[in-house]
Amino acid sequence: MSSVCSTFISSSALSMKPKCANPSHSRSKLRIHCTVGESVIGQKVASAVEPLLLSAVRGENVERPPVWLMRQAGRYMKSYQIICEKYPSFRERSENVDLVVEISLQPWKVFKPDGVILFSDILTPLSGMNIPFDIVKGKGPVIFNPIKEAADVDKVREFVPEECIPYVGEALTILRQEVKNEAAVLGFVGAPFTLASYVVEGGSSKHFSKIKRLAFSKPKVLHALLQKFTDSMAKYIQYQADNGAQVVQIFDSWATELSPVDFDEFSLPYLKQIVDTVKQSHPELPLILYASGSGGLLERLTSTGVDVVSLDWTVDMADGRRRLGPSVAVQGNVDPGVLFGSKEFITNRIMDTVRKAGSGKHILNLGHGIVVGTPEENVAHFFEVAKGIRY
């Protein structure tokens, strides 16, 4: 049995300006049609010239929002847990071409999302920059020699991805071959301030006292480190694009620990540099920027020049749309915790998010990564509902 839900909402309730790039935003009523229960999972995109996700980002007319989920390949999937039992080291799983491809494709084979993201970690480039690290189960990232002084920054090497991490390029190339144009292949990198936070703090942090001490007492040292990460991440994005990534997401997870004035000094200029550099060599490559807890910085995020701003769930989608303006696409932003709710609850939250986002330039996603322990069948329902939506 299939069920159908249709919703009407005025464009004013979407908080959208009428001069949006997608003409459907200016319609007086937006009708969202959702068919649930039919065999949506496993359908192929018929004769797709390019992946739906790319069309949506560019503001072209699309029949529904493309959907993928952050951390869609991971610990909530039983198939991934089986691999973890055989290969307990995260770095082994994320630095072996065959394993990277297999893990990246696990959600693709089951859910057929519109985006297939590389299984990796934002810290993967560190070893190639002479920053030894590991990712320890139950503890997370561990930086063996945290950066404290200018002399430590001097030891950080120029990052040459094709020499240091060739497995990333090989995996992306294979993913493109496997997925073809049925979905977009996504790569990702860490933003300079977030990477600096890890290597200065020595790993994850609650208060970020070490990185802030460096920023406020020795700003030249931090700026030198940030510049090295900026140059390296620009190269890394270019490398990923050259090897098959059709979209690249930049994670600035810890930049929101900064006050706006400090964000303007220690994060924003370096994000702009990365975007400017990449756009010079790859002008058509869509760039997504995600920073959790960024409600107070949304207007600043758009000034980086990225094509898409990914909202976390603490920002109302309609309000986020209004603040971001019509020139930038939006991604998100269902609370990952919603996936612990009933199927009806999940459906309602998806529909609410899509209504508020409007009928274009929206990538449906969570406001953060899938949480460990999320029921796999609820993730399946999320994709089924999402792929059954019609504007």
Side-chain angles (χ1 to χ4, degrees):
M1 294 291 291
S2 65
S3 60
V4 176
C5 52
S6 299
T7 307
F8 294 85
I9 187 166
S10 66
S11 59
S12 61
L14 293 170
S15 300
M16 294 296 298
K17 297 181 181 179
K19 62 179 181 179
C20 282
N22 191 316
S24 60
H25 278 136
S26 62
R27 294 180 301 184
S28 60
K29 298 288 183 181
L30 171 62
R31 182 175 189 270
I32 298 176
H33 172 87
C34 172
T35 301
V36 181
E38 295 180 354
S39 181
V40 175
I41 296 178
Q43 286 183 353
K44 293 184 178 180
V45 178
S47 304
V49 176
E50 68 174 7
L52 178 66
L53 192 150
L54 297 183
S55 298
V57 170
R58 291 172 182 147
E60 299 172 9
N61 288 326
V62 292
E63 65 179 6
R64 64 172 175 85
V67 57
W68 71 280
L69 302 181
M70 287 183 275
R71 293 184 184 164
Q72 65 187 17
R75 289 173 286 179
Y76 73 98
M77 296 190 75
K78 293 188 182 301
S79 55
Y80 178 75
Q81 295 168 14
I82 292 171
I83 290 179
C84 290
E85 291 174 3
K86 188 174 181 181
Y87 304 96
S89 167
F90 179 87
R91 288 196 61 181
E92 182 178 10
R93 296 193 297 274
S94 63
E95 297 177 12
N96 176 293
V97 174
D98 292 337
L99 292 176
V100 169
V101 170
E102 180 180 356
I103 295 169
S104 301
L105 290 176
Q106 284 180 340
W108 163 250
K109 292 176 178 178
V110 178
F111 311 123
K112 285 294 189 289
D114 297 302
V116 175
I117 190 165
L118 176 77
F119 179 76
S120 186
D121 193 86
I122 62 171
L123 302 184
T124 294
L126 294 187
S127 57
M129 300 180 71
N130 195 33
I131 305 175
F133 80 102
D134 200 0
I135 298 177
V136 181
K137 183 178 180 180
K139 187 174 183 180
V142 176
I143 308 299
F144 296 126
N145 301 303
I147 289 178
K148 301 176 182 178
E149 305 287 347
D152 301 324
V153 177
D154 292 339
K155 296 175 184 177
V156 176
R157 290 198 300 255
E158 177 185 2
F159 182 55
V160 183
E162 57 269 24
E163 295 178 4
C164 302
I165 52 171
Y167 51 86
V168 168
E170 293 174 31
L172 285 168
T173 299
I174 296 171
L175 288 175
R176 276 295 297 277
Q177 294 169 349
E178 292 286 335
V179 175
K180 299 181 174 62
N181 265 352
E182 295 178 42
V185 172
L186 293 95
F188 68 93
V189 302
F193 182 79
T194 290
L195 294 175
S197 295
Y198 278 112
V199 303
V200 172
E201 295 287 340
S204 301
S205 177
K206 288 185 177 180
H207 303 294
F208 296 88
S209 57
K210 295 178 182 177
I211 185 76
K212 290 188 177 183
R213 181 183 296 114
L214 187 64
F216 303 148
S217 65
K218 300 177 182 178
K220 289 184 178 180
V221 175
L222 180 55
H223 279 300
L225 177 61
L226 291 170
Q227 190 60 57
K228 287 195 172 186
F229 279 132
T230 297
D231 296 339
S232 295
M233 292 308 104
K235 289 181 181 178
Y236 193 23
I237 293 174
Q238 293 166 329
Y239 170 76
Q240 291 186 29
D242 289 341
N243 284 276
Q246 295 163 289
V247 184
V248 176
Q249 179 157 311
I250 303 168
F251 286 89
D252 208 353
S253 308
W254 303 130
T256 52
E257 293 294 327
L258 294 168
S259 68
V261 67
D262 295 319
F263 178 84
D264 288 345
E265 179 176 356
F266 296 107
S267 180
L268 184 58
Y270 299 102
L271 291 169
K272 286 182 176 179
Q273 278 191 51
I274 289 174
V275 174
D276 290 345
T277 300
V278 171
K279 289 298 183 180
Q280 288 176 14
S281 60
H282 298 75
E284 300 301 317
L285 178 71
L287 297 175
I288 304 172
L289 176 58
Y290 174 77
S292 57
S294 59
L297 301 171
L298 290 190
E299 291 80 4
R300 285 171 165 83
L301 299 186
T302 61
S303 70
T304 60
V306 295
D307 304 278
V308 186
V309 172
S310 190
L311 301 177
D312 77 354
W313 73 94
T314 64
V315 178
D316 180 80
M317 176 57 79
D319 185 48
R321 270 293 207 186
R322 177 185 59 78
R323 292 173 60 193
L324 292 172
S327 63
V328 65
V330 65
Q331 178 174 272
N333 68 335
V334 178
D335 184 342
V338 166
L339 292 176
F340 289 98
S342 68
K343 289 181 170 57
E344 181 182 6
F345 184 74
I346 294 168
T347 299
N348 290 339
R349 285 301 179 89
I350 292 171
M351 299 304 292
D352 179 65
T353 298
V354 173
R355 283 194 300 269
K356 290 177 177 178
S359 58
K361 300 189 82 169
H362 174 222
I363 303 169
L364 181 60
N365 206 315
L366 300 176
H368 202 283
I370 296 178
V371 179
V372 177
T374 297
E376 195 167 339
E377 62 270 21
N378 286 1
V379 177
H381 180 73
F382 188 102
F383 279 111
E384 183 179 8
V385 172
K387 298 188 77 173
I389 290 171
R390 294 296 180 268
Y391 288 133

